[in-house]
């Protein structure tokens, strides 16, 4: 398929609350998608810190802030995240062709900007394509390690058509249209997920608060105990990161004030996951993988 001769309008959208308290890299997240977006809608939930001023401090006239209040009655299953995501999506300009969703702990490397723009142009007039599917790289503990077991999702939809019958699904990890999976095209671009990289004290605080907020979440025992530091050693498998980080992350990386010592050679996989990992290694296929999308 040839690339469309026009550049489609892309609107970014995201949600954030208590970004300072939980040390979310939301400024880096928003900044990382500004070069490919014509606007970025940020739904800032009423916070316990100065999150609103933090977002206002980002020097770009592309950013449009909407202030929201999270509905406490939607805590179960993280449904409030989907409700807030829908608020942000509904505020996207009606003339946008695509909407680029980014979470407050996700960042796009600048090396993927051209790929993203080309894909958005390529499929702009193909109405069968309802979204674009990204690869995921999950950093863990420090900026040196990535989580590499099957417990971590490999792909998610992050660009969707600006169609308001598309809704955020469950806890806002993906999207559906009229409750069916979106038809998507995969693109050769990664989302860098930094949600599990922060000072062990802040990570423990975040996890314990999340459990209090969403009491149905299945938390490991070390989180529920009265610990001050998160035990990053509880991971089943990590690998050393071999690439480069997005340029917007460099100051944060330089200022990291903690270290986590993990051994990529140690694998704490269950028997089932050891077998499935071997099958994946031999065949390249991940059996029983959850996919909230339909490839076309």
């Amino acid at each position: 398929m040839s690339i469309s001769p026009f550049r489609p309008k892309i609107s970014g959208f995201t949600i954030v609350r208590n970004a300072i308290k939980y040390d979310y890299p939301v400024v880096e997240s928003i900044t990382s998608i500004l070069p490919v977006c014509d606007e970025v809608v940020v739904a800032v939930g009423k916070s316990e810190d100065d999150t609103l001023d933090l977002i206002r401090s980002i020097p770009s006239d592309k950013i449009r802030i909407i202030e929201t209040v999270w509905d406490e009655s939607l805590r179960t299953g993280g449904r409030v995240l989907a409700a807030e995501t829908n608020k942000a999506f509904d505020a996207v300009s009606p003339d946008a062709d695509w909407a680029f969703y980014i979470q407050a702990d996700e960042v796009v490397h600048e090396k993927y900007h051209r790929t993203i723009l080309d894909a958005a142009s390529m499929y702009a007039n193909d109405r069968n394509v309802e979204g674009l599917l990204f690869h995921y790289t999950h950093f863990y503990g420090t900026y040196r390690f990535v989580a590499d077991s099957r417990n971590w999702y490999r792909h998610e939809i992050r660009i969707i058509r600006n169609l308001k019958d598309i809704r955020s699904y469950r806890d806002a990890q993906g999207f559906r249209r009229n409750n069916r999976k979106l038809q998507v095209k995969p693109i050769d671009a990664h989302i860098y997920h930094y949600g599990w990289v922060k000072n062990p004290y802040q990570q423990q605080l975040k996890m314990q608060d999340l459990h209090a907020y969403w009491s149905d979440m299945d938390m490991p025992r070390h989180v529920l105990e009265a610990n001050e530091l998160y035990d990053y050693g509880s991971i089943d498998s990590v690998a050393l990161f071999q690439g480069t980080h997005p340029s917007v992350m460099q100051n944060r990386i330089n200022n990291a004030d903690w270290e986590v010592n993990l051994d990529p050679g140690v694998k704490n996989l269950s028997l089932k996951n050891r077998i499935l990992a071997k099958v994946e290694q031999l065949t390249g296929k991940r059996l029983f993988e959850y996919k909230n999308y339909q490839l076309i």
Side-chain angles (χ1 to χ4, degrees):
M1 181 183 296
S2 61
I3 296 177
S4 172
F6 72 94
R7 184 196 185 286
K9 181 173 181 177
I10 303 174
S11 294
F13 68 109
T14 189
I15 68 171
V16 65
R17 178 174 181 251
N18 293 333
I20 299 171
K21 179 180 180 181
Y22 299 126
D23 195 30
Y24 287 122
V26 65
V27 172
E28 293 85 352
S29 175
I30 293 169
T31 303
S32 77
I33 66 169
L34 281 173
V36 301
C37 292
D38 298 277
E39 67 170 357
V40 176
V41 175
V42 185
V44 180
K46 186 177 181 181
S47 301
E48 303 165 42
D49 56 23
D50 294 326
T51 294
L52 182 58
D53 287 339
L54 178 68
I55 302 304
R56 285 172 173 164
S57 74
I58 302 174
S60 174
D61 59 4
K62 291 183 179 181
I63 296 173
R64 181 155 49 87
I65 296 172
I66 62 171
E67 297 181 48
T68 68
V69 177
W70 289 26
D71 186 345
E72 299 286 331
S73 70
L74 299 178
R75 294 188 303 178
T76 303
R79 290 179 299 152
V80 66
L81 299 177
E84 290 298 308
T85 298
N86 287 334
K87 290 178 186 178
F89 179 42
D90 288 343
V92 161
S93 295
D95 62 339
D97 300 287
W98 297 104
F100 192 159
Y101 180 54
I102 194 82
Q103 294 191 344
D105 56 10
E106 298 176 345
V107 180
V108 174
H109 198 298
E110 60 273 12
K111 68 182 179 181
Y112 297 120
H113 287 166
R114 184 73 263 162
T115 298
I116 293 167
L117 289 172
D118 286 348
S121 294
M122 179 180 294
Y123 299 115
N125 295 322
D126 187 347
R127 306 306 292 185
N128 291 319
V129 180
E130 298 169 319
L132 302 178
L133 190 72
F134 286 71
H135 302 285
Y136 263 73
T137 300
H138 300 277
F139 292 92
Y140 183 86
T142 75
Y143 300 101
R144 297 190 298 117
F145 298 109
V146 292
D148 65 345
S149 78
R150 62 180 289 113
N151 290 328
W152 300 78
Y153 51 93
R154 297 191 297 171
H155 307 97
E156 279 298 341
I157 302 167
R158 280 298 176 261
I159 293 183
I160 58 176
R161 290 264 179 210
N162 188 21
L163 302 170
K164 301 312 182 187
D165 54 354
I166 295 178
R167 299 281 86 184
S168 183
Y169 186 64
R170 291 186 178 173
D171 62 352
Q173 188 167 314
F175 297 89
R176 292 203 174 183
R177 185 179 185 187
N178 297 321
N179 207 34
R180 66 162 174 78
K181 296 180 180 181
L182 299 190
Q183 299 183 135
V184 302
K185 287 287 188 180
I187 68 173
D188 190 18
H190 285 245
I191 298 292
Y192 285 8
H193 177 213
Y194 292 101
W196 291 84
V197 180
K198 58 181 85 257
N199 185 293
Y201 173 81
Q202 286 180 300
Q203 184 67 19
Q204 182 73 0
L205 174 65
K206 172 190 167 186
M207 296 298 289
Q208 289 182 328
D209 282 5
L210 284 176
H211 181 264
Y213 197 77
W214 291 295
S215 58
D216 63 321
M217 291 182 69
D218 184 18
M219 290 285 184
R221 177 174 294 180
H222 72 267
V223 170
L224 302 180
E225 294 171 349
N227 298 323
E228 289 190 357
L229 302 178
Y230 185 80
D231 178 16
Y232 282 113
S234 61
I235 187 88
D236 55 2
S237 178
V238 297
L240 285 172
F241 177 57
Q242 302 296 333
T244 62
H245 290 274
S247 60
V248 296
M249 289 294 295
Q250 202 55 57
N251 285 341
R252 183 175 283 266
I253 293 170
N254 292 342
N255 292 326
D257 60 357
W258 76 97
E259 185 54 73
V260 174
N261 293 314
L262 300 172
D263 186 351
V266 176
K267 306 299 179 185
N268 298 312
L269 303 174
S270 66
L271 176 60
K272 173 186 174 182
N273 281 346
R274 286 202 301 271
I275 294 172
L276 290 172
K278 190 64 176 180
V279 172
E280 184 175 341
Q281 181 183 4
L282 293 173
T283 67
K285 296 180 180 180
R286 180 168 290 189
L287 301 181
F288 313 116
E289 182 177 18
Y290 175 71
K291 298 178 180 179
N292 186 34
Y293 50 83
Q294 180 66 50
L295 292 175
I296 58 173

